[in-house]
Amino acid sequence: MRLLNPPGGLGDATAQFNEGSYPMLPSGDRWFAVIGLATDFAIGDYSIEVSSGGGVLASGVLSAGDGGFQFESIELPPSSIDLLSDHAAVAAERATLAEVYSRFTPERRWSGAWILPAAGTMTNGFGLMRSINGGPYYPHSGTDIANETGTPVAAAASGVVALARPMYLYGNVVVVDHGAGVFSSYNHLDGIAVAEGQAVTIGDLVGFMGETGFVSGPHLHWEVIIGGVRTDPLLWTLAPVEP
């Protein structure tokens, strides 16, 4: 979201959308915010406003359409399904990631279009509605890139490493904070090549492809998260998401 031609001396601005508030950041002659829409976001028209000091500066309408996501059913062996039965471990992982993704760094650390983080074959796209062993359908929360174990994995854009450690279902994980509420995560790694708090530049090595956690083979599960909402990583590679 962009606020063009803001009033002079504007000290802060907030976007209001779908009962949520999103801090906006200044960039040159404008202010901006990045807002993510979940895969199950209802189709329709939504009002969106920018306010400051209790007054509305601008308003408009956002129209959300059908994502056109496909459906898939897969079968996994009992050894993989058993991981899902440890509800405490699953809940602890979710809580850790939710805390990381709740952070907001008031600066934009990326510039230009992002890169694909690894070489390989894209096997599962974002938003794919997947049923495991006949269970309910859930959206695939990222993009999968398959290749051999040990394939280098790079930062898709510049930022600071917010998390780099072994997790439960996600296996070995690296999360990069790109600022403005935007994060990318690199999951199921065989090895981690960065430390938490380390600054990375687009293309820097962050780890190596593997099959740790809840997987059926070696691949990178790549996510982009905006304000806690998983969004399509490939959108960031098609064109610069700039203020």
Side-chain angles (χ1 to χ4, degrees):
M1 180 176 178
R2 300 176 180 91
L3 174 65
L4 307 179
N5 305 312
L10 185 63
D12 65 82
T14 303
Q16 276 88 35
F17 170 68
N18 195 37
E19 301 182 354
S21 295
Y22 303 87
M24 301 188 74
L25 300 177
S27 180
D29 63 350
R30 63 192 60 189
W31 288 63
F32 79 100
V34 185
I35 302 173
L37 304 184
T39 53
D40 60 354
F41 195 82
I43 297 171
D45 296 330
Y46 296 83
S47 63
I48 189 163
E49 295 181 343
V50 177
S51 63
S52 179
V56 176
L57 301 177
S59 63
V61 175
L62 181 146
S63 297
D66 185 357
F69 303 118
Q70 303 299 306
F71 287 76
E72 177 188 64
S73 297
I74 62 173
E75 297 291 327
L76 293 179
S79 58
S80 294
I81 296 300
D82 287 346
L83 288 173
L84 300 177
S85 64
D86 190 337
H87 301 296
V90 172
E93 178 178 68
R94 288 176 177 169
T96 297
L97 293 174
E99 189 283 320
V100 171
Y101 298 145
S102 70
R103 303 172 191 171
F104 184 85
T105 300
E107 65 172 314
R108 177 173 61 97
R109 292 166 169 162
W110 80 90
S111 178
W114 293 18
I115 63 171
L116 292 174
T121 302
M122 292 187 193
T123 53
N124 292 296
F126 173 80
L128 176 69
M129 300 298 293
R130 177 183 288 167
S131 168
I132 298 176
N133 292 7
Y137 285 93
Y138 293 102
H140 189 237
S141 58
T143 294
D144 288 349
I145 303 175
N147 208 331
E148 296 180 356
T149 295
T151 300
V153 175
S158 299
V160 174
V161 177
L163 184 143
R165 67 183 74 165
M167 299 293 284
Y168 185 61
L169 296 179
Y170 279 100
N172 292 324
V173 176
V174 170
V175 175
V176 176
D177 179 359
H178 303 286
V182 179
F183 297 82
S184 62
S185 72
Y186 310 84
N187 306 283
H188 308 308
L189 300 173
D190 186 62
I192 294 172
V194 291
E196 294 178 13
Q198 178 180 337
V200 292
T201 301
I202 182 172
D204 282 354
L205 180 71
V206 298
F208 302 91
M209 194 178 294
E211 50 183 324
T212 56
F214 184 55
V215 295
S216 58
H219 73 283
L220 171 69
H221 177 73
W222 175 37
E223 295 185 350
V224 172
I225 305 93
I226 305 173
V229 177
R230 269 74 173 180
T231 61
D232 190 347
L234 293 183
L235 293 178
W236 292 78
T237 69
L238 299 178
V241 179
E242 304 281 6

